[in-house]
Amino acid sequence: MKKIIKFALLVVACMVVVACGAKNKTVNITKDGTVYEYANVSFTYPNSFKKQDATLYNESEELSDHVKTIFAKDQEEITLMIDPVIENNKVEELIQLFRVEVETTGATIISNTKVTLTNGDGCYEIVAENKDVKAKYMVIFEEGYRYCLKYKTTTKDYDNKIINMDKFLYTFAVKEQGE
């Protein structure tokens, strides 16, 4: 009987130690975030992120006019990109073309799923890794445009940060014309 009690106390002590060491914190989107709107697109970004000048985005890469805004904090970035869709393809084909576009940058696609955003709309979620950078792309095709909200950080920090960042990424919304 004493062994069972000692074992139970040991298990409880281990659970307390593990629970105290948990790194996941509760995120309150309305308190911890700020809504950003651009044309018919909106999303909430963490208050700790600061808006960057898109022309200074990455001097080693040629900027195209599809980058609409960038929010950054340390080695984390949230980027909103909007591109016209020229191809006359179905959405399933367009997402495959986007995957190829991501892979041509040298990235490896880790996952590709269709998810439901906070507002109930459907969205494609693609996770890709390129050397020491890991990124999640939230992609919506609407009325001849591809809307992409991209979150990226270092590969070593990605798994710890994405749990809380998903709460912000899932606020991504594209309003149809006339809404």
Side-chain angles (χ1 to χ4, degrees):
M1 184 69 169
K2 288 183 180 182
K3 288 183 180 181
I4 293 173
I5 292 173
K6 286 181 181 179
F7 179 74
L9 287 174
L10 181 63
V11 168
V12 170
C14 288
M15 290 173 59
V16 169
V17 168
V18 170
C20 290
K23 294 181 181 180
N24 194 11
K25 67 173 190 145
T26 302
V27 174
N28 181 336
I29 296 295
T30 55
K31 180 180 159 193
D32 298 332
T34 302
V35 175
Y36 177 78
E37 294 181 343
Y38 178 89
N40 59 333
V41 179
S42 67
F43 63 91
T44 303
Y45 66 92
N47 289 335
S48 59
F49 281 58
K50 300 298 175 217
K51 188 172 180 182
Q52 304 295 306
D53 182 355
T55 59
L56 300 176
Y57 175 55
N58 189 344
E59 294 174 11
S60 65
E61 293 180 14
E62 183 178 325
L63 260 189
S64 65
D65 58 355
H66 74 208
V67 175
K68 301 305 178 190
T69 193
I70 299 164
F71 294 92
K73 174 189 170 196
D74 301 328
Q75 296 181 349
E76 297 176 90
E77 277 185 7
I78 299 172
T79 306
L80 174 64
M81 299 172 282
I82 302 174
D83 293 297
V85 175
I86 299 167
E87 298 88 5
N88 189 16
N89 296 330
K90 297 178 182 176
V91 173
E92 294 78 17
E93 296 167 332
L94 292 172
I95 199 64
Q96 290 304 325
L97 291 171
F98 181 74
R99 283 176 49 107
V100 169
E101 186 178 317
V102 170
E103 288 173 333
T104 59
T105 66
T108 302
I109 303 293
I110 296 170
S111 68
N112 177 25
T113 56
K114 188 164 186 181
V115 296
T116 303
L117 299 171
T118 305
N119 67 359
D121 288 347
C123 175
Y124 289 91
E125 178 184 276
I126 296 172
V127 178
E129 189 171 357
N130 188 353
K131 298 179 185 167
D132 60 344
V133 175
K134 198 167 182 180
K136 180 178 279 193
Y137 300 84
M138 308 297 282
V139 184
I140 298 172
F141 295 96
E142 188 71 50
E143 296 190 10
Y145 286 92
R146 177 181 69 203
Y147 300 88
C148 180
L149 188 63
K150 174 185 174 185
Y151 168 73
K152 74 175 185 177
T153 190
T154 62
T155 301
K156 70 179 182 102
D157 291 338
Y158 181 87
D159 290 337
N160 290 331
K161 295 181 184 259
I162 197 63
I163 294 168
N164 290 324
M165 189 54 67
D166 270 346
K167 294 172 179 83
F168 294 100
L169 296 176
Y170 276 64
T171 65
F172 187 35
V174 176
K175 296 178 189 169
E176 294 179 31
Q177 300 293 339
E179 269 190 64

